[in-house]
Amino acid sequence: MNVSTGGRQLRSRVALTAFVSAITLIPGLSYAAPNDPGPTAGGPLEQIRSQLDGLYREAEVATEAYDAANEKATEQTKRLTSLQGDLAHTQGRVDALHGLAGAAARAQYRGDYFSSAGFQLILSDHPENALSDAAQAGRTSDTLANIYESQKTARAELDRQTEAATNNLRELKKTLADKADAKEKIQNRIADAERIEAGLKSEQVDGLAQLEKQKADEAKSKWPGSGSDGGPANKGGPGGGPSGGGPAVSGSAGQAVSFAMAQIGKPYGWGDVGPSSYDCSGLTSVAWAHAGHPIPRTSQAQWQGLRHVSLSSAQPGDLIIYFHDATHVGMYIGGGQIVHAPRPGRTITTAPAASMPILGVVRPGG
């Protein structure tokens, strides 16, 4: 075997070793809260509420980015694992062909007959058995030429797989860095909001609660077709809406609504998909998966991937997407109400469907 062949094999081994080693160098994802003092409580109630809403809104935007990066990283990791398996298989094939070529060359030098049986075995899924069989056979020049051609093809495939795995690893590292950046931003914004809330006086806390109730009451009248109760007639028992008086929702939509309603009182947890805590899209995606209709994980992917319906035709189980960038989602339960995971520091609850800027409505399950 010539020197260039050995050099190519050595380079392939070095590339594979470097690639595998690089996987262990992915940085951790833990970040400390910032040391700067950040905003503080003060000013009129509307200003304080605006500050808090802004900070929690930024945290939610970052949460959606975190969730999206987490989903992407999961898929990339699966792909990387598959590529590693392909690499190991192809490397074994290259090694076996290298040994077989050496045996054939030695047999040719001795003038022995080297049959194609060993070559055929090397093309099977168990090349480790081929060398002993091939060594017992003779040789032909055609077989030796075929072995060299197979080596060339296998090395080209190994190079291709190594490049694909290296690129995938590079993409995974970037995705994890995006995920870490989003996590840091979430932590920073929540810490800022908590500093404001910690500095509030009791009368300010009461005033903010009253202001929030006032805003919720105003939102009821904004829902299409709302009456004195703030919503259309799609109300019912479990899975049908927040109160009785109408038919309950059946089928998969009813199952999704029932599941989401059963989570009321559990805390919001950014990036969480239950069972003890959820973020907004974690709640809706798990609820619909429970109903037998898996949907995309993030609110942005739900907005992009599910069927859009008009606001006026919203039915219980539909998802209402909020804000221009589709970074919040709630499940419509009828009666002009949604069930949702609002934000850090809050628990899963019902709320007026029009309490936030509505982007549109999507319908899972067909």
Side-chain angles (χ1 to χ4, degrees):
M1 190 55 55
N2 59 40
V3 174
S4 63
T5 299
R8 286 292 300 277
Q9 185 179 17
L10 178 60
R11 286 195 295 274
S12 295
R13 286 183 176 280
V14 169
L16 179 59
T17 302
F19 162 72
V20 174
S21 298
I23 297 174
T24 64
L25 301 180
I26 297 174
L29 301 178
S30 296
Y31 286 82
N35 294 321
D36 59 281
T40 56
L45 288 178
E46 282 282 5
Q47 180 180 334
I48 297 173
R49 183 177 186 273
S50 178
Q51 267 190 306
L52 288 171
D53 286 349
L55 289 168
Y56 282 121
R57 170 96 181 90
E58 289 182 29
E60 185 164 51
V61 171
T63 297
E64 283 297 298
Y66 176 91
D67 290 342
N70 191 51
E71 288 289 291
K72 188 175 180 180
T74 299
E75 291 304 313
Q76 288 173 334
T77 300
K78 290 179 182 177
R79 173 63 177 155
L80 191 58
T81 301
S82 176
L83 286 169
Q84 284 179 272
D86 293 343
L87 270 172
H89 178 80
T90 305
Q91 182 66 64
R93 186 179 181 82
V94 168
D95 292 345
L97 282 166
H98 175 73
L100 183 59
R106 289 191 297 272
Q108 184 182 43
Y109 177 77
R110 293 193 302 268
D112 295 337
Y113 176 74
F114 192 89
S115 74
S116 61
F119 175 63
Q120 293 300 324
L121 281 171
I122 205 68
L123 298 180
S124 71
D125 290 333
H126 302 285
E128 66 274 8
N129 300 325
L131 286 178
S132 59
D133 294 337
Q136 297 172 11
R139 66 129 187 103
T140 66
S141 58
D142 287 345
T143 298
L144 186 56
N146 286 338
I147 292 173
Y148 287 147
E149 185 62 30
S150 294
Q151 280 185 297
K152 181 180 178 182
T153 301
R155 287 197 192 97
E157 178 65 11
L158 182 62
D159 289 343
R160 185 193 68 77
Q161 290 173 348
T162 300
E163 181 180 5
T166 301
N167 290 338
N168 189 272
L169 177 61
R170 187 183 302 115
E171 292 172 1
L172 175 58
K173 286 183 175 181
K174 182 183 182 305
T175 300
L176 290 176
D178 292 342
K179 179 179 172 180
D181 289 343
K183 178 178 181 178
E184 184 178 25
K185 187 172 184 178
I186 295 166
Q187 291 175 329
N188 290 351
R189 297 303 179 269
I190 293 175
D192 287 342
E194 287 176 344
R195 274 194 288 272
I196 292 178
E197 292 174 327
L200 293 175
K201 299 177 181 178
S202 59
E203 57 267 25
Q204 289 176 309
V205 174
D206 294 340
L208 286 173
Q210 185 175 358
L211 183 60
E212 188 169 338
K213 183 179 183 303
Q214 176 185 337
K215 297 292 184 182
D217 289 340
E218 292 173 359
K220 290 180 180 179
S221 63
K222 297 178 183 178
W223 184 252
S226 61
S228 59
D229 64 347
N234 284 327
K235 298 191 294 182
S243 60
V249 185
S250 61
S252 57
Q255 294 177 42
V257 171
S258 293
F259 181 90
M261 294 290 284
Q263 311 313 307
I264 287 177
K266 292 184 179 180
Y268 177 102
W270 57 267
D272 292 351
V273 289
S276 58
S277 58
Y278 299 83
D279 62 19
C280 68
S281 56
L283 176 64
T284 54
S285 60
V286 172
W288 269 101
H290 178 79
H293 291 277
I295 63 174
R297 165 66 177 90
T298 68
S299 59
Q300 292 172 334
Q302 290 167 6
W303 174 245
Q304 293 168 2
L306 300 176
R307 180 163 66 95
H308 290 213
V309 298
S310 66
L311 188 62
S312 60
S313 64
Q315 299 173 3
D318 289 348
L319 305 183
I320 300 181
I321 309 296
Y322 294 94
F323 302 106
H324 72 280
D325 51 2
T327 48
H328 188 77
V329 59
M331 181 179 291
Y332 187 59
I333 57 174
Q337 297 280 304
I338 60 168
V339 58
H340 72 146
R343 64 167 175 80
R346 296 291 178 86
T347 60
I348 295 172
T349 187
T350 59
S355 57
M356 294 166 283
I358 295 174
L359 178 62
V361 182
V362 293
R363 180 165 296 163

